[in-house]
Amino acid sequence: MPDFLCTAAARQKVQIAPSLLSADFTRLREDLERLEGEADLYHLDIMDGHFVPNISYGPGIVKQIRKLSDKPLDAHLMVSEPERWISPFLDAGADLISFHLEATPHPHRLIQQIKAVGCRAGLAINPGTSELLLEPLLEELDLVLVMSVNPGFGGQSYLPLAEKKLARLRRLASEQDLPFALEVDGGIKRTTIGAATRAGARIFVAGSAVFAADDPAAEIRELKKLALSSAAEYV
Ligand code: DX5
Ligand code: ZN
């Protein structure tokens, strides 16, 4: 698999990560086939009913998804005690595992644990968490995931407060020449993707916007086009 995250070229690229939370799981194969040509990676929202007030799916389903696609699988663990879940999701085929800073007292140890087994490590922050808390860890990370909704459900409204965080992280990355990719998750659609791009995000999770569209592949193309034009404004 080509490097989808940490090269200078990959970091500049606009990438759309459809969140499969909004897919129709009774016809997942067809849903993925409709996206295959346009999606850059698949975002897998893992919810445990404890860290967030909802339950989604676990490693067994991720294993099935792995069989349906060769695209990078971006596992977003919204779970308590994420340390218990690294191996199961790695074994299921995740290429990138992001956990929440709020979910563990030992984020540094967990990043090391993920990277030691050859996986990419991402760290996610809730809307109420300051990006400044990530600063000591940035050097170690492959990706930072800034939540633009409170995690737990698809289809919520985008919170612009994510933009200040994205901008600050983007600035830190360029000042310190850090290689992490910057992803934004929640409420991304045609009307919000431009602002998130200008703030610095380059990987965009989109669930309801993609899967509610009549033509999901065309919607991804449109989102990408909007992001690219905003990225061009912001150099
Ligand atoms: C929220 C999840 C998101 C969400 C995105 O807990 O992390 O990935 O499903 O869905 P939309 O794009 O509908 O906000
Ligand atoms: Zn997510």
Side-chain angles (χ1 to χ4, degrees), residues 19 21-22 43 45 47 52 76 78 147 149-156 185-188 205-209:
S19 163
L21 194 62
S22 297
H43 185 82
D45 285 306
M47 306 175 179
V52 290
H76 174 196
M78 287 162 276
M147 291 304 299
V149 296
N150 284 293
F153 303 93
Q156 302 181 79
D185 181 5
I188 295 297
V205 177
S208 45

Side-chain angles (χ1 to χ4, degrees), residues 37-54:
E38 299 298 335
D40 294 289
L41 45 160
Y42 288 129
H43 185 82
L44 310 179
D45 285 306
I46 313 300
M47 306 175 179
D48 68 349
H50 187 264
F51 179 70
V52 290
N54 196 7

